[in-house]
Amino acid sequence: MIKTLLIAPYQGLAETAKKMDVPDEIELDVTIANLEEGVRVAKLAEKQGYELIISRGGTASMIQEVVSLPVVHIDITGYDMLRVFTLIRGIKHGVALVGYANISQGAATICNILEFDVKMITIQSRNEVRGNLEKLKQQGYTVVIGDVITVQVAEQVGLRGVLITSGREAVTDALEEGKRVYYFFRRVNNQFYYFQETFHLMPFPVVLLRRDGAILEKNLLFEQYNGSDEILKSSTIYTIMKRVLESKTNQWAEIEGENSIYELQAFLVNQTEAIVGLSIHSSFNKRETKTVRIIGNSVHVPIIGETDQAMSLRENFQQYTHSDGAVCIIGEPGTGKYTVARAMHFKRFGQEAPIVVIEGSYLTDATSSQKEIQTKISAVQRGTILIKDIDAVQYEIQNTIQRLLCNLPKTMKVIVLAETSLEKLVYERSFHKGLYNEISKNVLHLLPLRERKEDIGAFAEYFLAKFHEEDGNETIGIRQDAIQYLMQFHWQGNISQLEKVIRELSIMTPANYIELSHVKKLLHNYEHMSSVEDQRLSLDGTLKEIERKIIELVLQEEDYNQSNAAKRLDINRSTLWRKLKE
C-alpha cells in the first residue's frame, strides 16, 4: 500500500476526494491546508512515514520545494473550466480570470470557442494578485475567477470570487499519476541506495567535496582513516580540486603530513555543482622509501645548457618523447636522468596524466612487487611508467618486470633510468636479455658534468633563479670568474653536487652576486674534507653509518664502478644500491 496524503487547499476538494473510489494500491488520507499551512502539514507527513503527497496549485509547488517525497499536482482540466463557466453563464459582462499561465491559457481557448466575454490576466507570482484585482475593480469588473488565493483576495477588495474547483476526473488522474510517480521514485531510490551502499563500502577511503572544501559525503573507511583530518586541512586539496575542475580529468597528488605522505587521486563528480571526489590510495612514513609512487602535477622542466649534448637533446627531444618504444636514459648519479624523464613526460602528457615511479633498487619480491605495480597501473591507465635504477633490479625479479611492461596499455609511456651500461650487464649475465631488449629501443646517454663543463654557468644561473623563487634568497647572480673557477672542479657528484654547492653559496653570500672568493672558500672546504676522508676512516657513529662510510670509500677507490665495488664487498649490486639509498 502507498501511504498517501492529499492536502486540499479548499474544503470542496477534500469532500470530493473522500467520496471517491481509491485504487487498491493507495491508502489515502485527506486534510485541508493552503500554502504555508500546507507546507507545515507536508513536513510533518514526511516524518510520519507518508510516501506520496497530492495537492493543487501554489500549495503543491511550495510543498515540492521542502520535502523529499514525490509530490503530484492535481491539474485543472477542461472539465473543471467548463464547470466554472457554466456556473457564471448568466453573467454577461464584468467577468475576469486571474491566474497562472496553466490556468489562463486553457481558459482563453475555451472562452474563444464558446464566445464567453472574459478578460484574461496571467500572473507570475501571488504577489501580483492584489494589484490586478484592485485595477479590475476600478475598471468596473465585479466577478473574478481564479484559484484559492485569487478568491480570498477578491473578497478582501470587494469583488465576487469564483473558485475553479477540481472535479473527480482531475483527482482520479492525480491518483493514477501518483502510482506511476511512486513506483518510479521507489526504483530510483533503490538504485540510489545501492549506489550509496557501494560508496560507503568501497575498499579505499573516499570523500566528496565542494569547491570551498565543504564535505558533501564520505565513506566509512574515510571516517575511520587516521590521516583524514590531516589531509582535509592541507592547502594542497584546493589546488588539486581546481586542477580537476579546470581540466575535467583525474589528477594525482601527494600530501605531506606531519609524519606521513598521503597519495591521493582526485576525480570530477559534478562540473555544474563543482563537486570533486578524493580517494586515498596509500600512505607511507616520511622516513620510508616507497617502492612504487604516483606523482601528479607535472611541470615543464627545461633542458639546460649550450654544449653539443644539450643542443642535441633539445633537437631530438620530440623523437624520444613520442617514440612507441621505451626510452632508456643512462648516466652517472646526478647527471639529471630523472629531470630529463620528467621533461619527457610533461612534453607528452602535460598535467593530464601522472607518473608511476618505481624504485628499482627497492624491488625485493617478485609477487608483491608485481601486485603493487599492477594496482598502481590499473588506477592510472594513462601516463608514464618510470623505473629508476633499472640496473639494480634483482635478476630474479627482472622477468616479472618484463612481463609487466609487455602487457602495458598503449596509453602508457615507459622510461627507465640506469647508471651503468646495460649491454655490459647482459654480457656479465647479471641482467636479463629479454628485459634489455624490451627497454633499450631508444637509448639516451647523459654525459657527466666534468665532460660538459661549459654548461656549468647556465646551470648555476638556473639554480639561483630557482632558489630565489623557492627560498627567497637574495643572491641573484654569479661573477664570470667565479664560474670559471667552478669549471676547474672535478664534480664527482655531477649536476646534483653542483646544485648543492650553488644552494650553499646562495645562502652564505651576503651580497646579490657570488664572488670568486666565495667559491674558492667553499670548494677549498670540499677538497679538504675529501682529502681527510681519503686518509682515514672514522669509526664514529652507528654501525649502519660506519658501514655506509666503508661503502663510499670502496666506491671512490673503484672510481664509482658499482659492479667492482659490490664484488669487493662480497654483496650483489641490488644490495649495494639499497644500502646507498638508506
Side-chain angles (χ1 to χ4, degrees):
M1 296 291 283
I2 308 170
K3 189 174 182 181
T4 305
L5 179 64
L6 190 151
I7 301 176
Y10 61 94
Q11 180 72 38
L13 179 57
E15 296 303 321
T16 298
K18 291 176 183 179
K19 297 173 184 176
M20 292 182 56
D21 292 329
V22 178
D24 294 338
E25 302 98 315
I26 291 181
E27 177 187 335
L28 183 65
D29 293 322
V30 181
T31 188
I32 302 171
N34 190 35
L35 299 176
E36 286 81 4
E37 177 61 17
V39 169
R40 188 191 67 78
V41 171
K43 288 180 178 179
L44 181 61
E46 186 171 20
K47 294 178 181 178
Q48 293 173 338
Y50 281 92
E51 301 168 296
L52 176 67
I53 291 178
I54 298 175
S55 191
R56 198 188 91 149
T59 302
S61 298
M62 292 175 66
I63 291 172
Q64 200 166 25
E65 295 295 321
V66 298
V67 299
S68 58
L69 301 177
V71 178
V72 172
H73 292 241
I74 300 175
D75 293 326
I76 294 176
T77 67
Y79 296 113
D80 300 328
M81 301 300 292
L82 284 173
R83 268 192 293 270
V84 72
F85 286 134
T86 300
L87 288 171
I88 62 168
R89 61 182 179 275
I91 305 173
K92 303 298 183 182
H93 304 287
V95 179
L97 184 146
V98 178
Y100 293 97
N102 66 317
I103 296 176
S104 61
Q105 290 175 359
T109 301
I110 292 176
C111 288
N112 288 334
I113 294 173
L114 300 180
E115 297 182 344
F116 287 162
D117 183 15
V118 178
K119 181 178 179 63
M120 298 293 168
I121 297 178
T122 302
I123 59 173
Q124 304 297 323
S125 75
R126 59 176 179 165
N127 296 329
E128 302 173 23
V129 173
R130 181 173 294 275
N132 279 292
L133 294 188
E134 288 175 347
K135 288 180 183 178
L136 289 171
K137 183 178 181 181
Q138 292 173 2
Q139 295 169 4
Y141 287 87
T142 58
V143 178
V144 176
I145 304 170
D147 61 7
V148 175
I149 188 67
T150 299
V151 171
Q152 289 176 347
V153 174
E155 292 172 352
Q156 293 169 8
V157 301
L159 295 174
R160 176 188 170 188
V162 178
L163 181 65
I164 303 174
T165 59
S166 295
R168 296 170 62 89
E169 304 86 4
V171 177
T172 298
D173 290 345
L175 290 172
E176 290 299 322
E177 178 66 14
K179 289 194 313 184
R180 288 191 293 272
V181 169
Y182 168 78
Y183 288 122
F184 174 77
F185 193 81
R186 190 171 70 174
R187 284 196 302 274
V188 171
N189 263 357
N190 286 341
Q191 290 179 346
F192 174 75
Y193 171 78
Y194 296 140
F195 286 129
Q196 190 177 49
E197 285 297 292
T198 302
F199 174 77
H200 283 296
L201 296 175
M202 278 182 172
F204 43 83
V206 183
V207 61
L208 306 184
L209 301 173
R210 296 192 184 278
R211 185 195 297 271
D212 60 0
I215 297 175
L216 183 65
E217 190 68 70
K218 52 187 175 182
N219 71 353
L220 298 177
L221 282 182
F222 191 89
E223 289 182 349
Q224 299 167 1
Y225 195 73
N226 289 333
S228 59
D229 290 339
E230 195 169 41
I231 289 170
L232 292 175
K233 289 176 183 176
S234 170
S235 59
T236 306
I237 291 293
Y238 299 96
T239 303
I240 189 174
M241 289 176 63
K242 182 180 178 182
R243 294 206 311 266
V244 169
L245 292 170
E246 288 176 352
S247 67
K248 300 180 181 64
T249 59
N250 293 357
Q251 297 287 326
W252 292 83
E254 286 186 349
I255 290 182
E256 187 172 331
E258 185 175 352
N259 299 309
S260 300
I261 295 177
Y262 306 96
E263 196 174 69
L264 306 180
Q265 182 183 20
F267 53 93
L268 183 64
V269 177
N270 187 287
Q271 178 74 27
T272 305
E273 298 186 22
I275 299 173
V276 173
L278 293 178
S279 60
I280 305 172
H281 279 260
S282 64
S283 65
F284 52 95
N285 192 284
K286 284 184 177 181
R287 296 184 293 274
E288 172 191 353
T289 300
K290 187 72 172 169
T291 306
V292 184
R293 296 173 64 183
I294 300 179
I295 309 297
N297 193 26
S298 299
V299 294
H300 169 65
V301 182
I303 304 300
I304 303 297
E306 296 302 325
T307 57
D308 290 343
Q309 167 157 87
M311 290 188 288
S312 174
L313 180 55
R314 283 195 291 268
E315 289 172 3
N316 298 305
F317 198 74
Q318 187 85 359
Q319 181 179 341
Y320 281 111
T321 300
H322 294 284
S323 60
D324 293 332
V327 175
C328 179
I329 306 175
I330 300 176
E332 292 180 6
T335 49
K337 299 184 296 298
Y338 183 58
T339 300
V340 172
R342 288 190 296 124
M344 288 183 179
H345 168 81
F346 185 84
K347 182 71 174 178
R348 181 161 180 151
F349 296 105
Q351 292 189 324
E352 295 182 359
I355 307 175
V356 180
V357 179
I358 301 171
E359 298 285 348
S361 59
Y362 282 83
L363 296 174
T364 56
D365 178 79
T367 304
S368 61
S369 298
Q370 181 176 0
K371 183 177 180 182
E372 184 177 10
I373 295 169
Q374 283 181 329
T375 300
K376 298 294 187 185
I377 293 173
S378 298
V380 172
Q381 286 296 310
R382 182 173 182 269
T384 297
I385 304 293
L386 174 57
I387 307 178
K388 298 170 70 176
D389 308 332
I390 190 72
D391 45 341
V393 175
Q394 294 181 20
Y395 191 83
E396 54 270 23
I397 299 179
Q398 291 176 16
N399 269 330
T400 301
I401 298 298
Q402 182 188 356
R403 287 194 299 271
L404 281 169
L405 297 184
C406 289
N407 294 319
L408 283 177
K410 292 182 179 179
T411 52
M412 303 297 291
K413 175 69 174 176
V414 176
I415 303 176
V416 300
L417 312 182
E419 293 188 359
T420 55
S421 169
L422 297 182
E423 289 182 354
K424 180 183 177 183
L425 297 180
V426 172
Y427 178 77
E428 294 173 350
R429 298 184 182 277
S430 61
F431 199 86
H432 196 277
K433 189 172 183 179
L435 178 58
Y436 169 76
N437 292 334
E438 183 68 31
I439 64 176
S440 61
K441 296 174 182 176
N442 302 282
V443 179
L444 170 63
H445 288 87
L446 298 184
L447 294 176
L449 186 58
R450 60 185 174 273
E451 295 181 24
R452 51 181 298 197
K453 289 185 177 181
E454 295 84 353
D455 287 335
I456 286 178
F459 277 113
E461 292 173 356
Y462 174 77
F463 292 140
L464 283 174
K466 175 184 174 184
F467 302 148
H468 179 73
E469 179 183 339
E470 293 178 355
D471 306 326
N473 294 351
E474 294 297 324
T475 308
I476 56 174
I478 181 169
R479 301 297 185 189
Q480 190 61 39
D481 55 355
I483 292 174
Q484 291 297 323
Y485 194 85
L486 287 172
M487 292 171 65
Q488 299 175 28
F489 196 66
H490 185 61
W491 299 113
Q492 189 68 49
N494 293 297
I495 300 171
S496 296
Q497 185 183 18
L498 175 63
E499 182 176 4
K500 291 177 183 177
V501 168
I502 298 299
R503 181 184 288 277
E504 191 169 349
L505 285 168
S506 71
I507 294 172
M508 63 180 278
T509 302
N512 294 125
Y513 284 86
I514 297 170
E515 304 289 346
L516 175 60
S517 59
H518 301 137
V519 176
K520 283 185 174 181
K521 180 179 179 181
L522 182 61
L523 292 189
H524 174 73
N525 292 338
Y526 269 80
E527 290 171 343
H528 176 70
M529 289 172 60
S530 177
S531 64
V532 170
E533 289 175 359
D534 286 344
Q535 293 172 14
R536 68 181 182 88
L537 176 66
S538 171
L539 296 180
D540 294 334
T542 64
L543 178 62
K544 181 177 288 188
E545 290 169 343
I546 296 170
E547 181 186 61
R548 183 176 180 86
K549 292 175 185 177
I550 294 172
I551 292 172
E552 289 176 346
L553 183 59
V554 173
L555 276 170
Q556 288 178 22
E557 293 178 356
E558 294 295 336
D559 198 23
Y560 288 87
N561 185 310
Q562 293 179 7
S563 296
N564 292 343
K567 287 177 182 177
R568 277 187 57 183
L569 294 166
D570 195 25
I571 57 178
N572 60 41
R573 293 184 69 257
S574 59
T575 302
L576 176 63
W577 273 88
R578 285 199 302 276
K579 290 183 178 295
L580 287 171
K581 297 291 185 181
E582 289 176 356

